[in-house]
Amino acid sequence: MSTVTEITTDLEFHALTSDAHPNTLLVLSFHTPWAAPCAQMANILSTLASSYPTTSLGTDSRIQFLSMNAEALPDISESYDVTAVPFLVLQRDGKVLENVSGSDAGKVRDAVERHAGKSGNAGKVGLPLKLDATPRKEGQAGGSVNGGGDVHSRTTKDLSGYAPNSADPVTAPEMSDGQADRDELNKRLEGLVKAAPVMLFMKGTPSSPQCGFSRQLVGILRERGVRYGFFNILADEEVRQGLKTWAEWPTFPQLWVGGDLVGGLDIVKEELDSDPDFFKSYAVAKGNGGMAAPDAQVQPVSATT
């Protein structure tokens, strides 16, 4: 059965893809270690790969599965316009056939089978099939213990008509839910997202980004002359985890404008595609964007004409 090959260098990627037979479908999976859906995608691809026969690159095989860290290989990620993970690219003979964003097992399997055909082990080795469960009918036997008859008739009681009363013992001790701590953190987060008219929550700093997506977003802001504040979420785990929940946005970088969440790199690109002047109210001279002095972050800086 086939397996998923992990790519760790640009050289390895270009060598493997250039050696692939023109008829071979390459399934390129982009992931990051911090995004939970990527782990699910890894399981999906591993299961799919195992349902296809083992072949070597360069032969007339139906399919090859390659996986790579999108942040560790930013040049490759950018060449495929990867702005969110997990991200799947289906490619044959150097041409991109289809992209799949997210970890929907059904979409991934449909895309792969559409371009590579169904595996030879369909129904035996493949993604888990939907299971049907039929409720037990009243009076139906449920098994026995040591041959002693119906286990349900001897070990269970019908509690459908029972309602607890004040005399019943507490089933579990009451525990603090940490609401005060959460309120304090949320107040801090509310202040952070409004610390500057444009706030970037990123991995690393503008001068030393620690992920490819953060680096690209810094480049976009700098190119458009945007003055912005930033927060290195790698330096504060409480903010990193809390902002995911408070903003209902699970990944970084995150860009906030006027105290409102815009989104990650892909959303920012979409905003600029639909409105090239999206950052105009926050820009100075083009190409001179970057971290503004505190007094310049109180109000947006009008663009010069």
Side-chain angles (χ1 to χ4, degrees):
M1 62 182 182
S2 292
T3 58
V4 180
T5 301
E6 185 68 24
I7 305 298
T8 57
T9 66
D10 289 42
L11 184 63
E12 183 182 11
F13 173 80
H14 292 302
L16 290 175
T17 54
S18 62
D19 288 343
H21 192 279
N23 292 335
T24 298
L25 177 69
L26 294 179
V27 180
L28 312 177
S29 174
F30 293 87
H31 63 82
T32 61
W34 47 264
C38 291
Q40 182 179 352
M41 173 64 84
N43 291 331
I44 293 170
L45 291 183
S46 178
T47 302
L48 269 176
S50 68
S51 67
Y52 288 90
T54 302
T55 53
S56 58
L57 279 169
T59 62
D60 186 6
S61 58
R62 292 169 61 187
I63 190 169
Q64 295 287 344
F65 293 84
L66 306 179
S67 177
M68 65 212 80
N69 186 331
E71 295 178 341
L73 302 173
D75 291 338
I76 298 175
S77 300
E78 289 181 29
S79 69
Y80 287 97
D81 198 26
V82 178
T83 58
V85 289
F87 190 78
L88 210 65
V89 177
L90 277 64
Q91 173 178 304
R92 179 181 284 119
D93 195 19
K95 298 181 179 63
V96 174
L97 305 176
E98 186 173 349
N99 296 329
V100 180
S101 182
S103 57
D104 187 311
K107 289 182 179 179
V108 172
R109 178 173 57 186
D110 289 346
V112 170
E113 291 183 347
R114 186 162 52 252
H115 296 287
K118 293 186 177 181
S119 66
N121 295 323
K124 296 181 180 179
V125 179
L127 298 181
L129 300 176
K130 180 179 179 181
L131 298 179
D132 293 325
T134 303
R136 187 188 306 277
K137 295 181 179 179
E138 185 176 355
Q140 181 177 348
S144 60
V145 179
N146 296 330
D150 183 1
V151 65
H152 286 276
S153 64
R154 296 184 295 106
T155 61
T156 64
K157 297 180 180 179
D158 181 7
L159 301 179
S160 59
Y162 177 78
N165 56 58
S166 58
D168 287 334
V170 177
T171 57
E174 294 184 4
M175 300 181 67
S176 170
D177 61 2
Q179 184 63 45
D181 292 338
R182 287 200 298 273
D183 289 345
E184 183 177 350
L185 175 58
N186 290 344
K187 184 178 180 180
R188 182 188 176 198
L189 295 174
E190 185 175 2
L192 284 174
V193 300
K194 297 177 180 177
V198 178
M199 273 296 295
L200 174 61
F201 292 83
M202 63 179 294
K203 291 187 174 184
T205 65
S207 60
S208 182
Q210 298 300 304
C211 80
F213 301 146
S214 293
R215 178 169 62 85
Q216 289 186 60
L217 197 40
V218 166
I220 288 174
L221 296 174
R222 182 178 293 121
E223 171 64 21
R224 286 160 178 78
V226 178
R227 290 295 189 185
Y228 62 94
F230 79 91
F231 190 96
N232 178 9
I233 53 97
L234 297 180
D236 193 319
E237 188 66 18
E238 184 179 49
V239 169
R240 180 180 183 177
Q241 299 303 329
L243 193 56
K244 292 180 182 180
T245 302
W246 186 72
E248 297 183 349
W249 195 270
T251 60
F252 292 96
Q254 293 181 14
L255 189 72
W256 292 71
V257 174
D260 294 324
L261 176 65
V262 177
L265 176 62
D266 53 340
I267 303 300
V268 172
K269 285 185 173 182
E270 290 176 6
E271 291 286 356
L272 289 171
D273 287 341
S274 61
D275 180 13
D277 294 329
F278 181 73
F279 289 120
K280 185 176 181 179
S281 297
Y282 304 92
V284 290
K286 186 175 182 180
N288 292 329
M291 193 53 194
D295 58 349
Q297 295 177 351
V298 176
Q299 294 295 331
V301 180
S302 299
T304 57
T305 56

